[in-house]
Amino acid sequence: MDNTDLHEKQKRRLIVALDVSTADEALEAVSELRGEVGAFKVGLQLFTSEGASLVKRLAASGIEIFLDVKYHDIPNTVAGAAAEAAKMGIWMFNVHASGGSEMMKAALGAANDACERESLRLPKIVGVTVLTSSDRQALSETGIEQTVEERVLQLSELTAKCGLHGVVVSPFEARMIRDSLRVPGFEIVTPGIRPSNATHDDQKRVMTPAQAASAGSDYLVVGRPIMGAGDRVEAARQIVKEMTEAAGPTDPR
Ligand code: C5P
């Protein structure tokens, strides 16, 4: 594979978090970055302010959308939401793995049924394990006495058993998940990425793009280091460059 192909391949692994308040800001970032990254993530802030109509509009414009609203409710309610999410034409959405197997299976089943009924592509459904802003102390506060690693592994195994397509973990757990789960095609999405010259903001467990790319992560989610940069295109290109250097020509992803 030559360097251009490798660069294009790494680009598809980069997801930009559209953590802004208005459709105008989101559309501006999308028009700047659509040729530079693989997908755009709509999270709670933008979804709460602009709602599903913006998500549908973005998806219809031909870009891959990761709807990051982390569903966590009773199985029947999550199933209903998952079916609606699937009908929006998005590429990926997530549920909290701590919602349990019944909830995760309900989400997958409902999304599958909706897509079959309407001949749509099934979005990737991934389980959120432990938030990258959390550490052992934060887990302990909520009555969980496992280490972060133990908790992430337990929730990842559960997510895989339910047939979901992957998990969201910190890059620190990517290698452990890759080595212990060994479920073919099970994908690892990692936020908590900071280029070496960037601040950590509220993220507690961070890695550089190169480290995350070599740790077994399939997709890297990056928000503030790109969205807050003076030149977003340059910031995205720099990250893809770091990923490309780390991946090397033999990287399977
Ligand atoms: O700005 P930053 O790069 O920290 O953004 C990371 C994005 O990934 C945010 O939108 C955050 O909500 C999201 N995220 C996360 N940790 C998770 C799941 C999602 O940081 N476990």
Side-chain angles (χ1 to χ4, degrees):
M1 188 186 302
D2 69 23
N3 264 352
T4 321
D5 287 348
L6 189 59
H7 188 82
E8 284 304 310
K9 221 166 170 191
Q10 299 308 314
K11 238 188 212 179
R12 288 199 290 274
R13 296 171 65 191
L14 179 59
I15 304 173
V16 179
L18 292 173
D19 289 333
V20 292
S21 293
T22 65
D24 284 349
E25 289 169 281
L27 292 165
E28 189 190 331
V30 167
S31 76
E32 284 175 47
L33 293 166
R34 63 184 300 152
E36 307 294 334
V37 303
F40 292 88
K41 186 174 82 64
V42 174
L44 290 172
Q45 181 183 1
L46 187 58
F47 191 72
T48 303
S49 67
E50 295 286 354
S53 63
L54 177 66
V55 175
K56 289 179 197 165
R57 183 174 161 196
L58 290 173
S61 79
I63 54 173
E64 302 286 34
I65 296 292
F66 170 16
L67 181 64
D68 175 24
V69 292
K70 304 182 180 70
Y71 295 121
H72 189 167
D73 208 316
I74 59 170
N76 185 60
T77 300
V78 170
E84 295 307 325
K87 290 195 290 193
M88 288 200 278
I90 57 177
W91 166 74
M92 177 183 278
F93 73 90
N94 55 10
V95 300
H96 268 290
S98 55
S101 60
E102 199 188 331
M103 189 200 82
M104 285 194 275
K105 284 181 190 162
L108 178 60
N112 228 335
D113 291 349
C115 290
E116 272 179 17
R117 260 195 321 271
E118 306 199 13
S119 304
L120 297 167
R121 158 183 83 158
L122 178 68
K124 292 175 192 284
I125 309 177
V126 293
V128 177
T129 58
V130 176
L131 296 177
T132 43
S133 56
S134 298
D135 53 15
R136 189 167 188 176
Q137 166 71 22
L139 287 185
S140 172
E141 264 176 23
T142 60
I144 294 158
E145 298 305 341
Q146 291 165 303
T147 63
V148 169
E149 278 210 343
E150 286 165 348
R151 181 71 174 159
V152 169
L153 185 57
Q154 181 192 21
L155 292 174
S156 299
E157 282 169 350
L158 188 66
T159 304
K161 241 169 61 196
C162 294
L164 266 57
H165 305 100
V167 276
V168 185
V169 300
S170 120
F172 286 93
E173 289 95 41
R175 175 55 55 205
M176 168 190 71
I177 302 297
R178 179 75 58 219
D179 292 345
S180 24
L181 249 60
R182 304 198 166 276
V183 178
F186 194 69
E187 296 192 306
I188 298 179
V189 181
T190 56
I193 307 294
R194 288 293 177 271
S196 32
N197 57 354
T199 64
H200 286 192
D201 303 305
D202 59 346
Q203 298 284 17
K204 293 199 172 122
R205 293 175 295 133
V206 301
M207 273 193 188
T208 65
Q211 289 168 330
S214 354
S217 162
D218 293 292
Y219 297 104
L220 278 64
V221 176
V222 182
R224 288 161 286 187
I226 293 177
M227 293 298 287
D231 183 341
R232 289 173 177 160
V233 169
E234 187 44 41
R237 284 186 183 162
Q238 192 53 40
I239 289 172
V240 174
K241 185 166 171 263
E242 278 192 44
M243 290 161 69
T244 307
E245 284 163 4
T250 55
D251 189 272
R253 279 173 292 276

